[in-house]
Coordinates of all heavy atoms in Angstrom, one line a residue:
M173 N 0.8 -1.2 0.0 CA 0.0 0.0 0.0 C 0.9 1.2 0.0 O 1.8 1.3 0.8 CB -0.9 0.0 1.2 CG -1.7 1.3 1.3 SD -3.0 1.2 2.6 CE -2.1 1.7 4.0
L174 N 0.6 2.1 -0.9 CA 1.3 3.4 -1.0 C 0.7 4.5 -0.1 O -0.5 4.7 -0.1 CB 1.3 3.9 -2.4 CG 1.9 5.3 -2.7 CD1 3.4 5.2 -2.4 CD2 1.7 5.7 -4.1
K175 N 1.5 5.1 0.7 CA 1.1 6.3 1.4 C 2.0 7.4 1.1 O 3.2 7.3 1.1 CB 1.2 6.0 2.9 CG 0.7 7.1 3.7 CD 0.7 6.9 5.2 CE 0.2 8.1 5.9 NZ 0.0 7.9 7.3
T176 N 1.4 8.5 0.7 CA 2.2 9.7 0.4 C 1.9 10.8 1.3 O 0.9 10.9 2.0 CB 1.9 10.2 -1.1 OG1 0.5 10.6 -1.1 CG2 2.2 9.1 -2.1
S177 N 2.8 11.8 1.4 CA 2.6 13.0 2.2 C 3.2 14.2 1.4 O 4.0 14.0 0.5 CB 3.3 12.8 3.6 OG 4.7 12.7 3.4
K178 N 2.7 15.3 1.8 CA 3.2 16.5 1.2 C 4.0 17.3 2.2 O 3.6 17.4 3.4 CB 2.0 17.3 0.7 CG 2.3 18.7 0.1 CD 1.0 19.3 -0.4 CE 1.2 20.7 -0.8 NZ -0.1 21.4 -1.1
S179 N 5.1 17.9 1.7 CA 5.9 18.7 2.6 C 6.4 20.0 1.9 O 6.4 20.1 0.7 CB 7.1 17.9 3.2 OG 8.0 17.6 2.1
I180 N 6.7 20.9 2.7 CA 7.3 22.2 2.3 C 8.7 22.3 2.7 O 9.0 22.0 3.9 CB 6.5 23.4 2.9 CG1 5.0 23.3 2.4 CG2 7.1 24.7 2.5 CD1 4.1 24.3 3.1
T181 N 9.6 22.5 1.8 CA 11.0 22.6 2.1 C 11.5 24.1 2.0 O 11.1 24.8 1.0 CB 11.8 21.8 1.1 OG1 11.4 20.4 1.1 CG2 13.3 21.8 1.4
L182 N 12.2 24.5 3.0 CA 12.8 25.8 3.0 C 14.3 25.7 3.1 O 14.8 24.8 3.7 CB 12.3 26.7 4.2 CG 10.8 27.0 4.2 CD1 10.1 26.0 5.1 CD2 10.6 28.4 4.7
S183 N 15.0 26.6 2.4 CA 16.5 26.6 2.5 C 16.9 28.1 2.7 O 16.3 29.0 2.2 CB 17.1 26.0 1.3 OG 16.8 26.7 0.2
G184 N 18.1 28.2 3.3 CA 18.6 29.6 3.5 C 20.1 29.5 3.7 O 20.7 28.4 3.9
Q185 N 20.8 30.6 3.5 CA 22.2 30.6 3.6 C 22.6 31.9 4.4 O 21.9 32.9 4.2 CB 22.9 30.7 2.2 CG 22.6 29.5 1.3 CD 21.3 29.6 0.6 OE1 20.9 30.7 0.2 NE2 20.6 28.5 0.4
S186 N 23.6 31.8 5.2 CA 24.1 33.0 5.9 C 25.4 33.4 5.2 O 26.3 32.6 5.0 CB 24.4 32.6 7.4 OG 24.9 33.7 8.1
F187 N 25.5 34.7 4.9 CA 26.7 35.2 4.3 C 27.3 36.3 5.1 O 26.5 37.1 5.8 CB 26.3 35.9 2.9 CG 26.0 34.9 1.8 CD1 24.7 34.3 1.7 CD2 27.0 34.5 0.9 CE1 24.4 33.4 0.7 CE2 26.7 33.6 -0.1 CZ 25.4 33.0 -0.2
V188 N 28.6 36.4 5.1 CA 29.3 37.5 5.8 C 30.2 38.1 4.8 O 31.1 37.4 4.2 CB 30.1 37.0 7.0 CG1 31.0 38.1 7.6 CG2 29.2 36.5 8.1
N189 N 30.1 39.4 4.5 CA 30.9 40.1 3.5 C 30.9 39.3 2.1 O 32.0 39.2 1.5 CB 32.3 40.3 4.0 CG 32.3 41.2 5.2 OD1 31.5 42.1 5.3 ND2 33.2 40.9 6.1
G190 N 29.8 38.8 1.7 CA 29.7 38.1 0.4 C 30.2 36.7 0.4 O 30.1 36.0 -0.6
T191 N 30.6 36.1 1.6 CA 31.1 34.8 1.6 C 30.1 33.9 2.4 O 29.7 34.3 3.6 CB 32.5 34.7 2.3 OG1 33.4 35.5 1.5 CG2 33.0 33.3 2.3
Q192 N 29.7 32.8 1.9 CA 28.8 31.9 2.6 C 29.5 31.3 3.8 O 30.6 30.8 3.7 CB 28.3 30.8 1.7 CG 27.2 30.0 2.3 CD 26.5 29.0 1.4 OE1 26.9 29.0 0.2 NE2 25.7 28.2 1.9
V193 N 28.7 31.4 4.9 CA 29.3 30.9 6.2 C 28.5 29.6 6.6 O 29.1 28.7 7.1 CB 29.2 31.9 7.3 CG1 29.7 31.4 8.6 CG2 29.9 33.2 6.9
S194 N 27.2 29.6 6.4 CA 26.4 28.5 6.9 C 25.2 28.3 6.0 O 24.7 29.2 5.2 CB 25.9 28.9 8.3 OG 25.2 27.8 8.9
N195 N 24.7 27.0 6.0 CA 23.5 26.6 5.3 C 22.4 26.2 6.3 O 22.7 25.7 7.3 CB 23.7 25.3 4.5 CG 24.3 25.6 3.1 OD1 24.1 26.6 2.5 ND2 25.1 24.6 2.6
F196 N 21.2 26.6 5.9 CA 20.0 26.2 6.8 C 19.0 25.5 5.9 O 18.8 25.8 4.7 CB 19.3 27.4 7.4 CG 20.3 28.4 8.1 CD1 20.3 29.7 7.7 CD2 21.1 28.0 9.1 CE1 21.2 30.6 8.3 CE2 22.0 28.8 9.7 CZ 22.0 30.2 9.3
S197 N 18.3 24.5 6.4 CA 17.3 23.8 5.7 C 16.2 23.4 6.7 O 16.5 23.1 7.8 CB 17.8 22.6 4.9 OG 18.3 21.6 5.8
A198 N 15.0 23.3 6.2 CA 13.9 22.9 7.0 C 12.9 22.2 6.1 O 12.7 22.4 4.9 CB 13.2 24.1 7.7
N199 N 12.2 21.2 6.7 CA 11.1 20.5 6.1 C 9.9 20.5 7.0 O 10.0 20.1 8.1 CB 11.6 19.0 5.8 CG 10.7 18.3 4.9 OD1 9.7 18.8 4.4 ND2 11.0 17.0 4.7
V200 N 8.8 21.0 6.4 CA 7.5 21.1 7.2 C 6.5 20.1 6.6 O 6.2 20.3 5.4 CB 7.0 22.5 7.2 CG1 5.7 22.6 8.1 CG2 8.0 23.5 7.8
N201 N 6.1 19.2 7.3 CA 5.1 18.2 6.8 C 3.7 18.9 6.8 O 3.2 19.4 7.8 CB 5.0 17.0 7.7 CG 4.1 15.9 7.2 OD1 2.9 16.2 7.0 ND2 4.6 14.8 7.0
S202 N 3.2 19.0 5.6 CA 1.9 19.7 5.4 C 0.7 19.0 6.1 O -0.3 19.6 6.4 CB 1.6 19.8 3.9 OG 2.5 20.6 3.3
D203 N 0.8 17.7 6.2 CA -0.3 16.9 6.9 C -0.3 17.1 8.4 O -1.3 17.4 9.0 CB -0.2 15.4 6.5 CG -0.3 15.2 5.0 OD1 -1.1 16.0 4.4 OD2 0.3 14.2 4.5
S204 N 0.9 16.9 9.0 CA 1.0 16.9 10.5 C 1.4 18.3 11.0 O 1.2 18.5 12.2 CB 1.9 15.8 11.0 OG 3.2 16.1 10.6
G205 N 2.1 19.1 10.2 CA 2.6 20.4 10.7 C 3.9 20.2 11.4 O 4.5 21.2 11.8
S206 N 4.4 19.0 11.5 CA 5.7 18.8 12.2 C 6.8 19.3 11.3 O 6.7 19.3 10.1 CB 5.9 17.3 12.6 OG 6.0 16.6 11.4
S207 N 7.9 19.7 11.9 CA 9.0 20.2 11.1 C 10.4 19.8 11.7 O 10.4 19.4 12.9 CB 8.9 21.7 11.0 OG 9.1 22.3 12.2
N208 N 11.4 19.9 10.9 CA 12.8 19.8 11.4 C 13.6 20.9 10.7 O 13.4 21.2 9.6 CB 13.3 18.4 11.2 CG 13.4 18.0 9.7 OD1 13.8 18.8 8.9 ND2 13.0 16.8 9.4
I209 N 14.6 21.4 11.5 CA 15.4 22.4 11.0 C 16.9 21.9 11.2 O 17.2 21.4 12.2 CB 15.2 23.7 11.8 CG1 13.8 24.2 11.7 CG2 16.2 24.8 11.4 CD1 13.4 25.4 12.6
N210 N 17.7 22.1 10.1 CA 19.1 21.7 10.1 C 19.9 22.9 9.8 O 19.5 23.8 9.0 CB 19.3 20.6 9.1 CG 18.5 19.4 9.4 OD1 18.7 18.7 10.5 ND2 17.6 19.0 8.5
S211 N 21.1 23.0 10.4 CA 22.1 24.0 10.0 C 23.5 23.3 9.9 O 23.8 22.4 10.6 CB 22.1 25.1 11.0 OG 22.6 24.7 12.2
S212 N 24.3 23.9 9.0 CA 25.6 23.4 8.9 C 26.6 24.6 8.6 O 26.2 25.5 7.9 CB 25.8 22.3 7.8 OG 25.4 22.8 6.6
V213 N 27.7 24.5 9.2 CA 28.7 25.5 9.0 C 29.6 25.2 7.8 O 30.1 24.1 7.7 CB 29.6 25.7 10.3 CG1 30.8 26.7 10.0 CG2 28.8 26.1 11.5
I214 N 29.7 26.1 6.9 CA 30.5 25.9 5.7 C 31.9 26.5 5.8 O 32.9 25.9 5.3 CB 29.8 26.7 4.5 CG1 28.4 26.2 4.3 CG2 30.6 26.5 3.2 CD1 28.3 24.7 4.0
N215 N 32.0 27.6 6.5 CA 33.3 28.2 6.7 C 33.5 28.5 8.2 O 33.0 29.4 8.8 CB 33.4 29.6 6.0 CG 34.7 30.2 6.0 OD1 35.4 30.3 7.0 ND2 35.1 30.8 4.9
Q216 N 34.3 27.6 8.9 CA 34.4 27.6 10.3 C 35.1 28.9 10.8 O 34.7 29.4 11.8 CB 35.2 26.4 10.8 CG 35.2 26.2 12.3 CD 33.8 25.9 12.9 OE1 33.1 25.0 12.4 NE2 33.4 26.7 13.9
D217 N 36.1 29.3 10.1 CA 36.8 30.5 10.6 C 35.9 31.8 10.6 O 35.9 32.5 11.5 CB 38.0 30.8 9.7 CG 39.1 29.8 9.8 OD1 39.2 29.1 10.9 OD2 39.9 29.6 8.9
L218 N 35.1 31.9 9.5 CA 34.2 33.1 9.4 C 33.1 32.9 10.5 O 32.6 33.9 11.1 CB 33.6 33.2 8.0 CG 34.3 34.1 7.0 CD1 33.6 34.1 5.7 CD2 34.5 35.5 7.5
Y219 N 32.6 31.7 10.7 CA 31.6 31.4 11.7 C 32.1 31.8 13.1 O 31.5 32.6 13.8 CB 31.2 30.0 11.7 CG 30.2 29.7 12.8 CD1 28.9 30.0 12.7 CD2 30.7 29.1 14.0 CE1 28.0 29.7 13.8 CE2 29.8 28.8 15.1 CZ 28.5 29.2 14.9 OH 27.6 28.9 16.0
D220 N 33.4 31.4 13.4 CA 33.9 31.7 14.7 C 34.1 33.2 14.9 O 33.9 33.7 16.0 CB 35.3 31.0 14.9 CG 35.2 29.5 15.0 OD1 34.1 29.0 15.3 OD2 36.2 28.9 14.8
A221 N 34.4 33.9 13.8 CA 34.6 35.4 13.9 C 33.3 36.2 13.9 O 33.2 37.3 14.2 CB 35.5 35.9 12.8
N222 N 32.2 35.5 13.5 CA 30.9 36.2 13.3 C 29.7 35.4 13.8 O 28.6 35.4 13.3 CB 30.7 36.4 11.8 CG 31.7 37.3 11.2 OD1 31.7 38.5 11.3 ND2 32.7 36.7 10.5
K223 N 29.9 34.7 15.0 CA 28.9 33.9 15.5 C 27.6 34.6 15.8 O 26.5 34.1 15.5 CB 29.3 33.3 16.8 CG 30.3 32.2 16.7 CD 30.7 31.6 18.0 CE 31.7 30.5 17.8 NZ 32.2 29.9 19.1
K224 N 27.7 35.9 16.3 CA 26.5 36.6 16.6 C 25.6 36.8 15.3 O 24.4 36.6 15.4 CB 26.8 38.0 17.2 CG 25.6 38.8 17.6 CD 26.1 40.0 18.3 CE 24.9 40.8 18.8 NZ 25.2 42.1 19.4
E225 N 26.2 37.2 14.2 CA 25.5 37.5 13.0 C 24.9 36.2 12.4 O 23.8 36.2 12.0 CB 26.4 38.1 12.0 CG 26.8 39.6 12.3 CD 28.0 39.6 13.2 OE1 28.5 38.6 13.7 OE2 28.5 40.7 13.5
V226 N 25.7 35.1 12.4 CA 25.2 33.9 11.8 C 24.1 33.3 12.7 O 23.1 32.8 12.2 CB 26.4 32.9 11.7 CG1 25.9 31.5 11.2 CG2 27.5 33.4 10.7
R227 N 24.2 33.4 14.0 CA 23.2 32.9 14.9 C 21.9 33.7 14.7 O 20.8 33.1 14.8 CB 23.7 32.9 16.3 CG 24.7 31.8 16.6 CD 25.3 31.9 18.0 NE 26.2 30.9 18.2 CZ 27.0 30.8 19.3 NH1 26.9 31.8 20.2 NH2 27.8 29.8 19.5
Q228 N 22.0 35.0 14.4 CA 20.9 35.8 14.2 C 20.2 35.4 12.9 O 19.0 35.3 12.8 CB 21.2 37.3 14.1 CG 20.0 38.2 13.9 CD 19.0 38.0 15.0 OE1 19.3 38.2 16.2 NE2 17.7 37.7 14.7
D229 N 21.0 35.0 11.8 CA 20.5 34.5 10.6 C 19.7 33.2 10.8 O 18.6 33.0 10.3 CB 21.6 34.3 9.6 CG 22.1 35.6 9.0 OD1 21.5 36.6 9.1 OD2 23.2 35.5 8.3
L230 N 20.2 32.3 11.7 CA 19.5 31.1 12.0 C 18.2 31.4 12.7 O 17.2 30.8 12.5 CB 20.4 30.2 12.8 CG 19.8 28.9 13.3 CD1 19.3 28.0 12.1 CD2 20.8 28.1 14.1
A231 N 18.3 32.3 13.7 CA 17.0 32.7 14.4 C 16.0 33.3 13.4 O 14.8 32.9 13.5 CB 17.4 33.7 15.5
D232 N 16.4 34.1 12.4 CA 15.5 34.6 11.4 C 14.9 33.5 10.6 O 13.7 33.5 10.2 CB 16.2 35.7 10.6 CG 16.6 36.9 11.3 OD1 16.1 37.2 12.5 OD2 17.5 37.7 10.8
F233 N 15.8 32.5 10.2 CA 15.3 31.4 9.4 C 14.3 30.6 10.2 O 13.3 30.2 9.7 CB 16.5 30.5 9.0 CG 16.2 29.4 8.2 CD1 15.9 29.5 6.8 CD2 16.1 28.1 8.7 CE1 15.5 28.4 6.0 CE2 15.7 27.0 8.0 CZ 15.5 27.1 6.6
T234 N 14.6 30.4 11.5 CA 13.7 29.6 12.3 C 12.3 30.3 12.4 O 11.3 29.7 12.3 CB 14.3 29.4 13.7 OG1 15.5 28.7 13.6 CG2 13.3 28.6 14.6
T235 N 12.3 31.6 12.5 CA 11.1 32.4 12.5 C 10.3 32.2 11.2 O 9.1 32.0 11.3 CB 11.4 33.9 12.7 OG1 12.0 34.0 14.0 CG2 10.1 34.7 12.7
K236 N 11.0 32.1 10.1 CA 10.3 31.9 8.8 C 9.7 30.5 8.8 O 8.6 30.3 8.3 CB 11.2 32.1 7.7 CG 11.7 33.5 7.5 CD 12.4 33.7 6.2 CE 12.9 35.2 6.0 NZ 11.8 36.1 5.9
V237 N 10.4 29.5 9.4 CA 9.8 28.1 9.5 C 8.5 28.2 10.3 O 7.5 27.6 10.0 CB 10.8 27.1 10.0 CG1 10.2 25.8 10.2 CG2 12.0 27.0 9.0
Y238 N 8.6 28.9 11.5 CA 7.4 29.0 12.3 C 6.3 29.6 11.6 O 5.1 29.3 11.8 CB 7.8 29.7 13.6 CG 8.8 29.0 14.5 CD1 9.5 29.8 15.5 CD2 9.0 27.7 14.5 CE1 10.4 29.1 16.3 CE2 9.9 27.0 15.3 CZ 10.6 27.8 16.3 OH 11.4 27.2 17.1
D239 N 6.6 30.6 10.8 CA 5.5 31.3 10.0 C 4.8 30.3 9.1 O 3.6 30.3 9.0 CB 6.1 32.5 9.2 CG 6.5 33.6 10.0 OD1 6.2 33.7 11.2 OD2 7.3 34.5 9.5
V240 N 5.6 29.4 8.4 CA 5.0 28.4 7.6 C 4.1 27.4 8.4 O 3.0 27.1 8.0 CB 6.1 27.6 6.8 CG1 5.5 26.4 6.1 CG2 6.8 28.5 5.8
E241 N 4.6 27.0 9.6 CA 3.9 26.1 10.5 C 2.5 26.8 10.8 O 1.5 26.2 10.8 CB 4.6 25.8 11.7 CG 5.8 24.9 11.5 CD 6.6 24.7 12.8 OE1 6.3 25.4 13.8 OE2 7.5 23.9 12.8
D242 N 2.6 28.1 11.2 CA 1.4 28.8 11.6 C 0.4 29.0 10.5 O -0.8 28.9 10.7 CB 1.8 30.2 12.2 CG 2.6 30.1 13.5 OD1 2.6 29.0 14.1 OD2 3.2 31.1 13.9
Q243 N 1.0 29.2 9.3 CA 0.1 29.3 8.1 C -0.6 28.0 7.9 O -1.8 28.0 7.6 CB 0.9 29.7 6.9 CG 0.1 29.9 5.7 CD 0.9 30.3 4.4 OE1 2.1 30.3 4.5 NE2 0.3 30.6 3.4
L244 N 0.1 26.9 8.0 CA -0.6 25.6 7.8 C -1.6 25.3 8.9 O -2.7 24.8 8.6 CB 0.5 24.5 7.8 CG 1.4 24.4 6.6 CD1 2.5 23.4 6.9 CD2 0.6 24.1 5.4
D245 N -1.3 25.7 10.1 CA -2.3 25.6 11.2 C -3.5 26.4 10.9 O -4.7 25.9 11.1 CB -1.7 26.0 12.5 CG -0.7 25.0 13.1 OD1 -0.7 23.9 12.6 OD2 0.0 25.4 14.0
S246 N -3.3 27.6 10.4 CA -4.4 28.5 10.1 C -5.3 27.9 9.0 O -6.5 28.0 9.1 CB -3.9 29.9 9.7 OG -4.9 30.7 9.3
E247 N -4.6 27.4 8.0 CA -5.4 26.8 6.8 C -6.2 25.6 7.2 O -7.3 25.4 6.8 CB -4.4 26.5 5.7 CG -3.8 27.7 5.0 CD -2.7 27.3 4.0 OE1 -2.4 26.1 3.9 OE2 -2.1 28.3 3.4
S248 N -5.6 24.8 8.1 CA -6.3 23.6 8.5 C -7.5 23.9 9.4 O -8.5 23.3 9.4 CB -5.4 22.6 9.2 OG -4.9 23.0 10.4
S249 N -7.3 25.0 10.2 CA -8.4 25.4 11.1 C -9.6 26.0 10.3 O -10.7 25.8 10.6 CB -7.9 26.5 12.1 OG -7.0 25.9 13.0
T250 N -9.3 26.7 9.2 CA -10.3 27.3 8.4 C -11.0 26.4 7.5 O -12.1 26.6 7.1 CB -9.8 28.6 7.6 OG1 -8.8 28.1 6.7 CG2 -9.3 29.7 8.5
D251 N -10.3 25.3 7.1 CA -11.0 24.3 6.2 C -11.6 23.1 6.9 O -12.1 22.2 6.3 CB -10.0 23.8 5.1 CG -8.9 22.9 5.6 OD1 -9.0 22.5 6.8 OD2 -8.0 22.6 4.8
G252 N -11.6 23.2 8.3 CA -12.3 22.2 9.1 C -11.5 20.9 9.2 O -12.1 19.9 9.6
T253 N -10.2 20.9 9.0 CA -9.5 19.7 9.2 C -8.5 19.7 10.4 O -7.7 18.8 10.5 CB -8.6 19.4 7.9 OG1 -7.7 20.5 7.7 CG2 -9.5 19.2 6.7
D254 N -8.7 20.6 11.3 CA -7.9 20.6 12.5 C -8.3 19.4 13.4 O -9.3 18.8 13.2 CB -7.9 21.9 13.2 CG -9.3 22.2 13.8 OD1 -10.3 21.7 13.3 OD2 -9.3 23.1 14.7
D255 N -7.5 19.1 14.4 CA -7.7 17.9 15.2 C -9.0 18.0 16.0 O -9.7 17.0 16.2 CB -6.6 17.7 16.2 CG -5.3 17.3 15.5 OD1 -5.4 16.7 14.4 OD2 -4.2 17.5 16.0
A256 N -9.4 19.2 16.4 CA -10.7 19.4 17.2 C -11.9 19.0 16.3 O -12.8 18.4 16.7 CB -10.8 20.8 17.7
T257 N -11.8 19.4 15.0 CA -12.9 19.2 14.1 C -13.0 17.7 13.8 O -14.0 17.1 13.7 CB -12.7 20.0 12.8 OG1 -12.6 21.3 13.1 CG2 -13.9 19.7 11.9
K258 N -11.8 17.0 13.7 CA -11.7 15.6 13.4 C -12.4 14.8 14.5 O -13.0 13.8 14.2 CB -10.3 15.1 13.2 CG -9.7 15.7 11.9 CD -8.3 15.2 11.8 CE -7.5 15.8 10.7 NZ -6.1 15.4 10.7
A259 N -12.2 15.3 15.7 CA -12.7 14.5 16.9 C -14.2 14.6 17.0 O -14.8 13.8 17.6 CB -12.1 15.0 18.2
E260 N -14.8 15.6 16.4 CA -16.3 15.7 16.5 C -17.1 14.7 15.7 O -16.8 14.2 14.8 CB -16.7 17.2 16.1 CG -16.2 18.2 17.0 CD -16.5 19.6 16.6 OE1 -17.0 19.8 15.5 OE2 -16.3 20.5 17.4

């Protein structure tokens, strides 16, 4: 039996002075709303010298992922497919 799911993928990069320092990726499951966020350092020396800026980029990326989660929650609530509706 085949079971499929739909997900939304987001990606981002942190740059310092035009040089990429870090990659960010996230996958949000459209059915369950669950998500995972990954980050990886590309340039350790620049990361070490600019942790505050790169960490802020990661925080901004995480906020964007939360925005997608919230949008999915809002859509499921308005179309009657949220968990409370399913239980009725």
Side-chain angles (χ1 to χ4, degrees):
M173 176 169 86
L174 173 66
K175 181 175 179 176
T176 63
S177 63
K178 180 179 172 185
S179 65
I180 298 168
T181 302
L182 295 98
S183 61
Q185 302 80 35
S186 177
F187 287 86
V188 173
N189 297 325
T191 302
Q192 187 174 354
V193 180
S194 189
N195 275 331
F196 312 122
S197 65
N199 190 2
V200 181
N201 184 300
S202 297
D203 297 329
S204 68
S206 64
S207 64
N208 60 43
I209 300 172
N210 299 297
S211 66
S212 59
V213 174
I214 304 299
N215 185 319
Q216 190 65 50
D217 292 335
L218 272 178
Y219 175 79
D220 291 340
N222 298 279
K223 286 181 182 178
K224 183 177 181 179
E225 292 85 352
V226 177
R227 288 175 178 171
Q228 183 60 55
D229 286 344
L230 177 57
D232 294 343
F233 180 79
T234 301
T235 298
K236 291 188 181 299
V237 174
Y238 293 159
D239 290 344
V240 170
E241 290 177 352
D242 293 345
Q243 181 181 6
L244 289 172
D245 285 346
S246 175
E247 289 171 2
S248 70
S249 293
T250 58
D251 70 10
T253 60
D254 64 340
D255 290 336
T257 304
K258 290 178 188 175
E260 292 178 352

